[in-house]
């Protein structure tokens, strides 16, 4: 999806925030794929991830590439449909709840990051016509 697609809503955010979204979406599509995906989350989730990959053509192809990527402060504009943004928000909320339910400080920190990002995105999307 690109910004010219009807209904696409662009949001600019730090690439680090997109990495949180991509990670949560990867986890969600993996779980849904293993449990039957009755709601069609896998296809929609993969389309969200592809939008990010397309917006970031220098996305590292191997895990080692993430040691020096992205550059600090780098921002990206991601344009998604209303249904894609809705899934992003639901997934961030879900994984925040999962992180909170675990007795692990690192997971609690990740849960807070998901929650703060969802709140920021809601604010951005509510202010966008």
């Amino acid at each position: 999806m690109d910004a010219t697609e009807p209904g696409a809503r662009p949001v600019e955010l730090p690439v680090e925030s997109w990495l949180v979204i991509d990670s949560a979406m990867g986890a969600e599509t993996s779980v849904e794929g293993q449990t039957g995906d009755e709601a069609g989350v896998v296809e929609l989730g993969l389309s969200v991830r592809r939008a990010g990959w397309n917006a970031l053509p220098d996305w590292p192809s191997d895990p080692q590439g993430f040691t020096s990527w992205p550059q600090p402060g780098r921002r990206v504009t991601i344009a998604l449909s209303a249904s894609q943004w809705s899934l992003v928000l639901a997934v961030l909320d879900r994984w925040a709840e999962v992180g909170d339910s675990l007795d692990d400080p690192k997971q609690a920190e990740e849960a807070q990051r998901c929650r703060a990002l969802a709140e920021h995105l809601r604010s951005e999307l509510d202010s966008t016509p």
Side-chain angles (χ1 to χ4, degrees):
M1 170 175 293
D2 63 28
T4 61
E5 182 175 324
R9 299 186 67 191
V11 173
E12 182 184 16
L13 63 157
V15 173
E16 290 88 355
S17 294
W18 183 257
L19 293 176
V20 172
I21 293 169
D22 183 75
S23 176
M25 198 62 62
E28 186 75 9
T29 57
S30 178
V31 168
E32 288 295 324
Q34 292 173 4
T35 59
D37 192 30
E38 293 177 21
V41 169
V42 172
E43 185 177 333
L44 188 59
L46 289 175
S47 74
V48 169
R49 295 186 81 196
R50 273 193 298 276
W53 301 334
N54 290 341
L56 296 160
D58 60 336
W59 185 279
S61 58
D62 63 66
Q64 295 293 0
F66 286 97
T67 60
S68 61
W69 188 92
Q71 297 168 341
R74 183 169 174 195
R75 298 182 68 79
V76 64
T77 298
I78 304 290
L80 300 175
S81 68
S83 61
Q84 288 172 310
W85 281 123
S86 180
L87 179 62
V88 166
L89 294 171
V91 166
L92 289 171
D93 291 341
R94 171 175 149 70
W95 289 100
E97 289 177 15
V98 168
D100 285 340
S101 72
L102 303 173
D103 188 25
D104 179 344
K106 185 173 173 112
Q107 292 301 319
E109 185 179 310
E110 187 65 20
Q112 180 55 35
R113 215 177 349 256
C114 286
R115 191 173 295 101
L117 181 53
E119 183 178 317
H120 170 75
L121 288 172
R122 283 186 176 92
S123 174
E124 286 287 317
L125 292 167
D126 288 346
S127 68
T128 306

